Amino acid sequence: MGEDRFAGRRQRIIEKIREQNLDAAWITGLCNVRYLTGFTGSYGQLLLSRDEQIFVTDGRYREQSSLEVQGCQIHILQNTSFPLLLSEFICEKGWKQIGYEANHLTCESLDKQAALNDTTSWEPLAGWVENLRRVKDETEIRLLEDSSKIIDQVYPKLLEEIREGVTERQILQRLMCLLWDCGAKGPSFDPIILFGARTSLPHGQPSDCPLQKNSWVLIDFGADYCGYCSDCTRTFFLRGAGGAREREASSGHARLPGSPEPGSRRSRVRQSRCSGA
């Protein structure tokens, strides 16, 4: 993704700073920092003012930040802490009103910073970055599609491993390898692989439970590709006819009234689902 995209996103936050009559915005949510800078490390904070853009990280990411973060002043923490560094910036630049991400910054961190700068007013930002992230640009849409394509590659290969006697953990191990082989950074969440009666657990953890014939199989996983995530959930029955209740449940979706046809418009699909439910 080109730097102009990140710069454009930061500029929209700077416009909000001017509109809200703030001096600066303190961005601490790691996903939001990545969205505004492209930084993929595990620690980084962003300070945006009307005329400055400052990215702060520690010595582990000196080289990485120089490669990933463009258009910002990069400060590497050395022999100091972030609260002290921010306090210096506030005094040096005369910031009086600073917005902070209340849904990401802890109360303890805010209290520590406020104690260092007791004349500064701290204003919570109401989802500024999240509101930008809701609308995806063409590059983001492509990345989401690529993430979904990884699932399309992984799932058929994973099905080849489903057989009597295999354990949930063995399928999980194979799933992780397939995700990496197909280009994902990893799973977008902890995968759920469950067999038999354990499929009733909404977020059960894979165990050494072996798969038996006439058993339900639940597979729920997603792919993280360049920070964009997909999700796929499938429940099916392992060969054999199963009992009467299993046969009824597995075929129930085909008997819902008003089931939508392939290619139906979203409104028709939603209407069919509501009437079917």
Side-chain angles (χ1 to χ4, degrees):
M1 182 179 294
E3 163 54 24
D4 57 331
R5 294 182 181 274
F6 297 116
R9 293 169 180 175
R10 294 195 298 270
Q11 190 58 43
R12 293 175 69 181
I13 297 298
I14 292 173
E15 291 172 2
K16 292 281 291 183
I17 291 173
R18 294 193 178 101
E19 291 173 4
Q20 299 298 319
N21 198 30
L22 298 176
D23 293 311
W26 179 13
I27 309 299
T28 53
L30 202 54
C31 287
N32 291 343
V33 171
R34 178 173 182 173
Y35 180 78
L36 295 174
T37 66
F39 179 70
T40 62
S42 63
Y43 176 75
Q45 302 191 50
L46 182 64
L47 295 169
L48 297 176
S49 71
R50 302 186 183 200
D51 52 9
E52 289 188 275
Q53 303 176 35
I54 304 170
F55 175 78
V56 181
T57 187
D58 59 38
R60 296 172 298 168
Y61 297 110
R62 179 186 300 275
E63 183 176 359
Q64 181 175 334
S65 61
S66 68
L67 296 173
E68 293 182 338
V69 181
Q70 305 297 320
C72 295
Q73 303 174 43
I74 298 178
H75 285 259
I76 305 298
L77 292 174
Q78 288 183 315
N79 302 320
T80 188
S81 64
F82 181 85
L84 291 176
L85 180 65
L86 177 54
S87 179
E88 291 177 8
F89 285 151
I90 291 173
C91 296
E92 174 187 329
K93 303 176 187 305
W95 293 342
K96 298 298 183 183
Q97 291 185 303
I98 299 177
Y100 68 95
E101 293 191 297
N103 54 334
H104 294 288
L105 189 68
T106 66
C107 294
E108 180 182 12
S109 296
L110 179 61
D111 289 343
K112 286 182 178 179
Q113 197 65 59
L116 292 172
N117 304 95
D118 54 6
T119 61
T120 300
S121 174
W122 303 91
E123 304 294 334
L125 306 180
W128 281 14
V129 184
E130 286 83 356
N131 289 336
L132 292 183
R133 289 170 53 192
R134 287 178 181 175
V135 180
K136 306 302 182 187
D137 59 33
E138 292 183 0
T139 299
E140 291 179 290
I141 292 173
R142 177 179 56 79
L143 291 172
L144 286 168
E145 291 174 343
D146 290 342
S147 179
S148 296
K149 289 177 181 177
I150 290 176
I151 284 185
D152 291 339
Q153 297 176 53
V154 168
Y155 185 69
K157 296 178 181 178
L158 191 64
L159 287 182
E160 297 175 2
E161 308 292 331
I162 302 296
R163 60 185 180 277
E164 185 179 8
V166 71
T167 68
E168 296 168 349
R169 285 169 56 86
Q170 287 173 333
I171 294 300
L172 172 63
Q173 183 180 33
R174 180 59 178 150
L175 170 61
M176 298 296 289
C177 291
L178 286 171
L179 285 171
W180 292 324
D181 289 345
C182 292
K185 174 186 176 183
S188 52
F189 54 89
D190 290 340
I192 302 171
I193 310 291
L194 301 173
F195 300 154
R198 286 172 45 78
T199 57
S200 66
L201 299 172
H203 287 89
Q205 296 183 349
S207 71
D208 291 320
C209 173
L211 178 58
Q212 301 176 355
K213 284 187 177 181
N214 296 331
S215 295
W216 289 106
V217 176
L218 170 62
I219 299 176
D220 188 357
F221 73 101
D224 179 346
Y225 181 70
C226 297
Y228 290 82
C229 300
S230 51
D231 187 354
C232 172
T233 304
R234 295 290 184 269
T235 303
F236 57 90
F237 205 70
L238 176 67
R239 297 183 178 179
R245 292 181 62 187
E246 286 81 359
R247 288 197 301 271
E248 180 180 0
S250 62
S251 61
H253 69 280
R255 296 183 287 101
L256 284 175
S259 296
E261 298 295 330
S264 298
R265 293 179 60 85
R266 181 183 302 177
S267 58
R268 287 182 54 200
V269 172
R270 183 178 184 278
Q271 183 178 11
S272 298
R273 286 178 176 173
C274 291
S275 62

